[in-house]
Amino acid sequence: MFSIEIETLARLLIDEARERQLRLVTAESCTGGLVAGAICAIPGASDVFERGFVVYNNRAKQELLGVPGEIIADLGAVSEPVARMMAEGALENSHAHLAVAITGVAGPGGGTRMKPVGTVHIATARANHGLHHRQEFFQFETREEIQLAAVQTALEAMRERINR
């Protein structure tokens, strides 16, 4: 279902989280649950994966993760503050220790001059260890390629937070 790189990252993430007794949560917009799917495709994921939020529209981001509507209206759903608030909201609305949140423009439409197709914000929040953010610009041809690049980057970001 996923590339060997994504499967390997998910397997390593699960092993490392299990070793440190950490539970994981995802909050996904443009990837539509693919990060959670990649994790859950690995046997033993239930040892560490707590839940996933698919918050594709703005109302879901507000209702499930507590992202203020004014922030979305002012900055857009594809922004650093929204990604950060999604990660924090996922931690607050779960029993997990480490969250990843993704919001972006996967295309083929929806891009603007300021936020072209391929723009993705990924935030990780770890209980008592703060929050990190990264913005990516994936220059791929298809929606699927952008989504899978975001999944791989999100898994890498989670592993970095476990190992720091």
Side-chain angles (χ1 to χ4, degrees):
M1 185 171 3
F2 293 98
S3 70
I4 190 72
E5 291 86 4
I6 288 175
E7 284 184 19
T8 300
L9 285 168
R11 188 176 312 279
L12 290 169
L13 173 66
I14 290 166
D15 290 346
E16 292 161 352
R18 184 184 299 118
E19 190 176 289
R20 290 164 182 78
Q21 298 182 331
L22 298 175
R23 289 186 303 277
L24 311 174
V25 61
T26 59
E28 302 179 65
S29 186
C30 67
T31 49
L34 290 172
V35 176
I39 294 169
C40 292
I42 305 301
S46 60
D47 293 345
V48 298
F49 188 72
E50 212 248 2
R51 68 182 71 179
F53 296 94
V54 176
V55 289
Y56 204 75
N57 71 27
N58 293 340
R59 187 172 184 181
K61 290 173 184 68
Q62 294 172 59
E63 291 176 356
L64 297 176
L65 301 177
V67 178
E70 310 81 57
I71 299 290
I72 295 171
D74 291 346
L75 303 174
V78 180
S79 64
E80 178 178 345
V82 170
R84 288 175 171 270
M85 289 178 188
M86 286 171 60
E88 290 171 340
L91 273 188
E92 290 171 11
N93 291 287
S94 70
H95 302 284
H97 305 100
L98 176 62
V100 68
I102 304 173
T103 183
V105 184
T112 66
R113 193 169 56 79
M114 296 298 290
K115 297 176 188 179
V117 171
T119 302
V120 177
H121 290 270
I122 298 172
T124 53
R126 184 168 170 191
N128 303 314
H129 289 81
L131 196 135
H132 292 171
H133 165 267
R134 67 196 324 169
Q135 179 178 349
E136 300 288 341
F137 180 65
F138 299 114
Q139 295 185 17
F140 291 107
E141 295 290 319
T142 68
R143 178 180 183 84
E144 179 182 358
E145 288 173 310
I146 292 168
Q147 288 175 318
L148 291 174
V151 168
Q152 184 167 334
T153 303
L155 292 170
E156 290 167 352
M158 292 180 84
R159 288 195 60 226
E160 287 172 13
R161 292 306 304 278
I162 284 178
N163 293 308
R164 279 201 238 163

